Structure formats: C-alpha cells, structure tokens
Amino acid sequence: SAVAGILVTAALTQDTADNTAVQDIGRDNWAWLQTYGLTQVDLSSTVAVVAGGAMGTSTTAGSATLLFNPATSSRNQGFAGFFFDAASASATDVEAFVRCE
C-alpha cells in the first residue's frame, strides 16, 4: 500500500461539508501532511525499532512501526521512510525521516 505522508497536526472536525477547497479557506477542515524530511513519530506498541530501519505505517492509528517485522516476517502497511534512532515499542517522539513514494 502507498503512503501519502504523515499528519503532523491533528485534523480538526470540519466546519462544513461538500464545499470546494476555495470555499473552505480559513475553516477547520485542514491539517498539515508532511511528505519529506525530518520528523518525530510515535511507535505502535507491538515492536521496537532500530536506527536505519525502514519505517512503515501501523494498523494502530497515529503510530509508526517497522516496515518489515523480523519477529513475524510480515510486511506492515506501507513504506514511509526510515528511523534515525533505535527505540522501544510504544516510544514517543522518535526521530525519523519521511520519504514518501
């Protein structure tokens, strides 16, 4: 599966529905999506990560994980970049580099 990016701000509840982008300027319908560069991520509770490991998206909303889990040899949701630091499962603010396809 493909990854569009990582949300770096919470997506607020929309003010209106079915508007065009121009009609929604200045409303709460927006969030920031990072597609490239240094970022901080929260890890899922299932696996620790290693520095340089490929970062994948987790089935846990709002969390990242290893793209390939060596414990189960399974592939996670999609490639999103790589980890700069080693960290234990459920760690918060882990340095990573986002590089979406």
Side-chain angles (χ1 to χ4, degrees):
S1 61
V3 176
I6 294 179
L7 284 172
V8 294
T9 61
L12 303 174
T13 304
Q14 66 184 18
D15 288 337
T16 58
D18 301 323
N19 281 353
T20 66
V22 171
Q23 291 169 322
D24 282 339
I25 292 174
R27 298 189 185 266
D28 288 342
N29 299 17
W30 305 96
W32 293 103
L33 180 75
Q34 183 176 356
T35 59
Y36 188 84
L38 185 63
T39 192
Q40 302 288 122
V41 297
D42 293 341
L43 299 180
S44 70
S45 61
T46 58
V47 65
V49 299
V50 296
M55 179 174 61
T57 56
S58 173
T59 55
T60 304
S63 297
T65 191
L66 282 174
L67 180 61
F68 293 99
N69 185 345
T72 62
S73 298
S74 65
R75 187 173 197 275
N76 286 300
Q77 299 299 310
F79 177 71
F82 62 90
F83 293 103
F84 271 124
D85 300 324
S88 60
S90 298
T92 58
D93 293 330
V94 178
E95 269 192 322
F97 193 90
V98 177
R99 194 188 106 216
C100 296
E101 299 173 357

